[in-house]
Amino acid sequence: MQLTRFTDLGLRVIMRLAVSPGGGGLTTSQVADEMSIPYTHTTKVVLRLKELGMIEARRGRGGGLTITDRARGTTVGWLTRQLEGDDEVVTCDGATPCPLRGGCKLRGALRRAQNAFYDSLDEVTIDDLVREPRDAQVLLSLSVGPN
């Protein structure tokens, strides 16, 4: 299974904010530059993370992005499900339905594998990803990428 770029960026942004002194204070533009992510993509990710209650975003002087306490204890599995959506690994229906869909067991097997993937991520929280000092140092030492 491959995560969408959106989910990948969402996880990276939340990890970066998790190691910021005070839980954030960075602007969307700063996060985009540090993570070498296009600003427009970062904005979409930040909006979704805010909708999910994972971050707070304040405008103006003294504003910026801040990770919430709720986000720190959130499992990577839950957040990944929210960012990925509930789509199946394969689509058997649609404009050209698969002729095997009536008796095929692949769809069910792939759904079970997808659930097992998410279940394994439910054992890891956002804080677990950045708990070790070296993990935080890697994220804090990011240099501004090319514009």
Side-chain angles (χ1 to χ4, degrees), residues 5-18 31 35-37 45 49 83 139 142:
R5 177 99 169 119
F6 185 81
T7 300
D8 175 39
L9 298 179
L11 293 170
R12 287 199 266 160
V13 167
I14 203 77
M15 287 170 55
R16 176 58 183 94
L17 294 175
V31 171
M35 305 295 288
S36 299
I37 305 168
V45 165
L49 291 172
L83 296 173
L139 290 162
L142 295 172

Side-chain angles (χ1 to χ4, degrees), residues 8 43 48 51 56 64 71 80 84 93 98 114 137-138 140 146:
D8 175 39
T43 302
R48 182 66 177 134
E51 289 170 353
E56 293 176 355
T80 302
E84 281 290 305
D93 304 313
C98 176
Q114 182 181 32
Q137 288 305 314
V138 168
L140 286 172

Side-chain angles (χ1 to χ4, degrees), residues 13-21 23-24 67 72 126-127 130 139:
V13 167
I14 203 77
M15 287 170 55
R16 176 58 183 94
L17 294 175
V19 298
S20 292
I67 188 171
R72 292 184 178 282
I126 300 302
D127 265 354
V130 298
L139 290 162

Side-chain angles (χ1 to χ4, degrees), residues 27-104:
T27 66
T28 302
S29 180
Q30 288 170 320
V31 171
D33 286 345
E34 283 187 7
M35 305 295 288
S36 299
I37 305 168
Y39 177 76
T40 54
H41 290 29
T42 308
T43 302
K44 291 175 187 175
V45 165
V46 163
L47 178 61
R48 182 66 177 134
L49 291 172
K50 185 174 182 252
E51 289 170 353
L52 293 170
M54 300 292 101
I55 63 172
E56 293 176 355
R58 292 181 311 278
R59 292 183 172 203
R61 189 174 186 94
L65 306 174
T66 308
I67 188 171
T68 63
D69 289 338
R70 175 181 177 221
R72 292 184 178 282
T74 295
T75 68
V76 176
W78 182 86
L79 184 55
T80 302
R81 283 182 191 91
Q82 301 311 303
L83 296 173
E84 281 290 305
D86 198 30
D87 293 338
E88 294 194 42
V89 177
V90 295
T91 305
C92 300
D93 304 313
T96 310
C98 176
L100 303 175
R101 74 185 180 282
C104 180

